């Protein structure tokens, strides 16, 4: 299992557009990918769940990845968060 | 490739994508008579179709508006695939035994409510997206095109049936062909197809499903066949024939500006029929010598109240001015029967073709009639207008009409309106009664115009709208041809002229017959003007014939 933590810098937080991009990215991996922020959590492969989390600027996002391609997934997600959020 | 048959109502070939025309109403009810599996299947098919539509919308938005806007559609696409959403929809179908459209709508509402309750204003706005997606799937389940009846490219319209007011909603430049399940070759869709010069089929054996949308279809108005998802060989062959027909059309274009005269020098007027002031451009483009039938009832249809005198005046004046001194024959209101306007509040009739319609309504509701006549007479100052009255059966009717016309003229002059010094009055001959008393009628009017559609219907006792009777609906029936001869002879004896404004006028197999009978005018759909001209110019009446 891999864990990525990231403090959201984007002023809108994880709004629709990045949520869509995260879901697309997550669906590219076989691993089970969960997102958590504060007391809210969701499946990174389900758009409505990700959007419902309503992660905001300044909050710490924790991504938990487990599965056969978890290393690659963790690296890609880390990169994605830095570029987009 | 899927093939089938219909009745071709305009010769020619159209090739294009299908647009399924459905009444645009989403009606959500509870429960279902179908099995759970069937409802799941309907949901899945609609979801797949929705995804296809959204992808098209995404590309279009990305190209025309921008990536940022397109992402919103991308989010909708992801919502469509969202497992939380889908699980809830399937739960409602499986456990609550709901129909797919209800399950989707209710799930959409629940999710939208959640978004709406979030304190982030941006997320609140996403309620709209989940609502939109649900509405799209529900509409697709019910076979309604969620993107409306706006077409981006010319398409083949496939429909159960089309009413005159429905066809008004369609952009005529975007219609390649009509294919309808219902309707006979004399229905309104068929007449519209002929007016617009587009190959069409009525009474087609086609199963109308939303999946047809966007599929390629060939409509062959010559053979009455259609092909969906055609193979390459069929497509090539039909495309070649389509091009050949376009060339023929081009040839006819060369006849523009030429006289309507036979080889031996007999002339005839070829006018055009229109149903809408906008059609005047078609009349001019096809080089018609005038308008032989302006169906004024279309000003009354597809609206909530009768057009005012001013509205009508504007339409008639527009047409008269556009025609620039050429004759414009306006037929007074011909509603009832198969053309109804709800605001008149007419009772349902057992037998509308034989009922309260046309001149019968006008002579009963004289105020309504006078409003129209006032508008026509006022417009007469702006061009060469004639007036024609439909559904006449007796001399007494014509005498009464003439009295009313005199009253209207006097009132207008008293009010200081300018009207033309002479407005020609004529009648439609479309009842067997009018034919039989045409000698008497001819003394009362200046012209006759034969409405062959109704005349054939009444003479042969065949309902025009009944597709089952198409086989025996013989427009060339000797009874009709004898009547035509009688009408023209009686007109000429009294010094009146005679024309034909029914569909038969454009039948070029009869052009020579009409010329020999002595008809002075043929009024046809604008797109037939040049082919009838060709037929006239190819005729030599000095040669003996068996006709």
């Amino acid at each position: 299992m891999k864990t990525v933590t990231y403090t959201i810098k984007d002023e809108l937080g994880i709004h629709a557009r990045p949520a869509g991009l995260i879901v697309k990215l997550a669906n590219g991996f076989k691993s089970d990918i969960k997102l958590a922020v504060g007391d809210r959590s969701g499946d990174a492969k389900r758009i409505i769940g990700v959007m419902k989390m309503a992660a905001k600027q300044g909050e710490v996002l924790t991504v938990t990845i487990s599965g056969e391609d978890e290393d690659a997934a963790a690296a890609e997600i880390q990169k994605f968060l830095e570029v987009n959020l | 490739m899927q093939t089938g048959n219909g009745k071709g109502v305009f010769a020619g070939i159209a090739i294009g994508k299908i647009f399924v025309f459905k009444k645009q109403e989403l009606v959500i009810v509870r429960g279902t008579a179908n099995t759970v599996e069937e409802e799941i299947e309907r949901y899945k098919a609609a979801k797949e179709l929705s995804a296809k539509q959204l992808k098209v919308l995404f590309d279009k938005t990305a190209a025309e508006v921008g990536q940022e806007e397109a992402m919103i559609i991308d989010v909708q696409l992801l919502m469509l695939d969202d497992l939380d959403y889908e699980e809830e929809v399937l739960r409602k179908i499986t456990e609550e035994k709901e129909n797919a459209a209800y399950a989707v709508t209710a799930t959409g509402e629940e999710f939208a409510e959640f978004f709406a309750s979030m304190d982030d204003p941006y997320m609140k706005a996403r309620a709209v997206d989940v609502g939109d997606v649900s509405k799209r799937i529900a509409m697709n389940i019910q076979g309604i095109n969620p993107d409306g009846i706006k077409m981006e490219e010319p398409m083949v319209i496939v429909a159960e049936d089309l009413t005159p007011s429905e066809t008004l909603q369609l952009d005529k430049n975007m219609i390649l062909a009509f294919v309808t399940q219902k309707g006979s070759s004399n229905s309104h869709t068929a007449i519209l197809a002929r007016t617009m010069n587009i190959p069409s089929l009525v009474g087609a054996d086609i199963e109308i499903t939303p999946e047809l949308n966007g599929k390629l279809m060939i409509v062959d108005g010559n053979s009455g066949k259609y092909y969906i998802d055609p193979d390459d060989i069929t497509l090539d062959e039909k495309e070649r024939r389509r091009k050949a027909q376009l060339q023929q059309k081009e040839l006819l274009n060369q006849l523009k500006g030429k006289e309507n005269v036979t080889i031996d020098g007999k002339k005839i007027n070829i006018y055009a029929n229109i149903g809408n002031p906008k059609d005047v451009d078609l009349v001019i483009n096809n080089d018609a010598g005038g308008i032989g039938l302006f169906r004024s009832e279309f000003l009354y249809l597809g609206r909530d109240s009768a057009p005012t005198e001013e509205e009508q005046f504007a339409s008639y004046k527009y047409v008269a001015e556009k025609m620039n001194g050429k004759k414009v024959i306006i037929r007074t209101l011909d509603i009832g029967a198969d053309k109804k306007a709800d605001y008149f509040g007419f009772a349902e009739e057992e037998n509308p073709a034989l009922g309260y319609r046309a001149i019968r309504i006008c002579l009963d509701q004289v105020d309504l009639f006078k409003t129209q006549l006032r508008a026509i007479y006022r417009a007469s100052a702006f061009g060469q207008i004639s007036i024609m009255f439909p559904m006449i059966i007796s001399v007494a009717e014509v005498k009464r009409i003439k009295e009313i016309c005199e009253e209207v003229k006097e009132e207008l002059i008293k009010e200081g309106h300018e009207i033309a010094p002479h407005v020609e009055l004529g009648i439609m001959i479309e009842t067997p009664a009018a034919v039989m008393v045409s000698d008497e009628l001819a003394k009362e009017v200046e012209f006759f115009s034969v409405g062959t559609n109704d005349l054939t219907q009444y003479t042969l006792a065949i309902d025009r709208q009944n597709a089952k009777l198409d086989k025996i609906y013989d427009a060339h029936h000797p009874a009709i041809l004898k009547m035509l001869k009688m009408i023209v002879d009686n007109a000429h004896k009294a010094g009146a002229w005679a024309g034909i404004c029914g569909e038969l006028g454009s039948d070029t197999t009869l052009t020579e017959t009409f010329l020999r009978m002595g008809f002075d005018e043929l009024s046809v759909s604008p797109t037939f003007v040049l082919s009838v001209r060709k037929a006239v110019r190819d005729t030599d009446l000095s040669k003996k014939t068996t006709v």
Side-chain angles (χ1 to χ4, degrees), chain B residues 183-244:
Chain B
S184 70
S185 47
N186 294 292
S187 63
H188 288 290
T189 308
I191 289 172
L192 183 68
R194 284 192 282 261
T195 306
M196 293 173 55
N197 201 358
I198 56 174
S200 293
L201 307 181
V202 296
D205 56 352
I206 186 166
E207 197 198 330
I208 298 175
T209 62
E211 285 75 29
L212 285 177
N213 274 309
K215 285 192 178 171
L216 191 66
M217 184 176 200
I218 300 172
V219 179
D220 187 340
N222 307 307
S223 65
K225 277 205 161 67
Y226 69 81
Y227 309 80
I228 296 170
D229 287 335
D231 56 43
D232 289 347
I233 299 168
T234 312
L235 190 60
D236 279 356
E237 188 222 315
K238 297 291 176 188
E239 181 59 28
R240 253 203 323 274
R241 288 190 39 209
R242 193 180 69 85
K243 283 196 178 130

Side-chain angles (χ1 to χ4, degrees), chain A residues 14-15 24 46-48 54, chain B residues 74 82 84 87 118 122-123:
Chain A
I14 303 183
H15 53 94
K24 279 189 176 173
R46 300 187 180 200
I47 179 90
I48 292 174
Chain B
D74 202 34
D82 187 82
D84 290 336
E87 280 163 8
M118 289 169 81
Y122 182 84
M123 284 302 172

Side-chain angles (χ1 to χ4, degrees), chain A residues 33-44 46 48-55 61-62 64, chain B residues 84 114:
Chain A
I33 305 174
K34 292 268 185 289
L35 304 179
V37 61
D39 57 352
R40 292 108 59 205
S41 61
D43 184 336
R46 300 187 180 200
I48 292 174
V50 174
M51 285 169 64
K52 275 181 173 177
M53 283 171 36
L61 174 72
T62 308
T64 316
Chain B
D84 290 336
F114 183 88

Side-chain angles (χ1 to χ4, degrees), chain B residues 189-443:
Chain B
T189 308
I191 289 172
L192 183 68
R194 284 192 282 261
T195 306
M196 293 173 55
N197 201 358
I198 56 174
S200 293
L201 307 181
V202 296
D205 56 352
I206 186 166
E207 197 198 330
I208 298 175
T209 62
E211 285 75 29
L212 285 177
N213 274 309
K215 285 192 178 171
L216 191 66
M217 184 176 200
I218 300 172
V219 179
D220 187 340
N222 307 307
S223 65
K225 277 205 161 67
Y226 69 81
Y227 309 80
I228 296 170
D229 287 335
D231 56 43
D232 289 347
I233 299 168
T234 312
L235 190 60
D236 279 356
E237 188 222 315
K238 297 291 176 188
E239 181 59 28
R240 253 203 323 274
R241 288 190 39 209
R242 193 180 69 85
K243 283 196 178 130
Q245 280 170 352
L246 280 180
Q247 276 169 358
Q248 164 72 10
K249 225 177 117 187
E250 195 53 38
L251 183 79
L252 286 173
N253 265 328
Q254 293 168 6
L255 289 167
K256 267 192 191 174
K258 298 270 166 63
E259 264 193 304
N260 308 308
V261 60
T262 61
I263 293 167
D264 56 310
K266 175 150 173 80
K267 288 183 191 170
I268 188 166
N269 287 321
I270 302 178
Y271 294 167
N273 298 344
I274 64 168
N276 193 309
K278 280 183 280 181
D279 297 339
V280 174
D281 293 334
L282 265 180
V283 173
I284 294 167
N285 289 341
N286 287 287
D287 198 27
I291 292 171
L293 169 61
F294 178 8
R295 298 184 181 94
S296 65
E297 56 275 14
F298 280 82
L299 294 168
Y300 292 76
L301 297 174
R303 47 183 294 154
D304 300 326
S305 60
T308 62
E309 180 183 324
E310 289 306 320
E311 282 174 81
Q312 294 193 52
F313 168 65
S315 294
Y316 303 146
K317 176 174 177 251
Y318 171 81
V319 174
E321 283 183 333
K322 269 254 180 183
M323 289 303 290
N324 198 19
K326 287 183 176 158
K327 191 172 282 191
V328 176
I329 302 177
I330 299 172
R331 178 178 71 188
T332 60
L333 186 56
D334 185 13
I335 55 164
D338 47 355
K339 287 173 279 192
K340 274 192 285 192
D342 292 339
Y343 56 85
F344 279 113
F346 295 147
E348 279 295 316
E349 291 186 12
E350 201 51 32
N351 222 332
L354 306 180
Y356 186 60
R357 55 172 293 197
I359 203 68
R360 297 167 183 183
I361 295 170
C362 290
L363 290 177
D364 184 44
Q365 304 185 25
V366 176
D367 287 346
L368 178 77
F369 193 30
K370 277 194 169 177
T371 302
Q372 180 170 35
L373 289 173
R374 283 177 60 94
I376 298 175
Y377 273 109
R378 283 174 57 197
S380 72
F382 299 90
Q384 200 199 335
I385 287 181
S386 304
I387 314 176
M388 174 159 80
F389 305 97
M391 275 299 283
I392 298 296
I393 58 168
S394 74
V395 174
E397 281 171 341
V398 179
K399 288 195 163 148
R400 177 71 188 121
I401 290 166
K402 285 165 74 182
E403 278 169 23
I404 296 171
C405 286
E406 284 307 316
E407 286 168 28
V408 167
K409 271 158 66 179
E410 267 172 46
E411 283 165 23
L412 288 172
I413 291 166
K414 218 180 274 173
E415 291 167 26
H417 287 291
E418 200 185 322
I419 60 174
H422 178 71
V423 174
E424 201 181 31
L425 298 182
I427 54 171
M428 297 274 295
I429 303 287
E430 52 191 334
T431 62
V435 177
M436 297 314 289
V437 298
S438 54
D439 52 345
E440 294 299 319
L441 290 169
K443 293 175 191 158

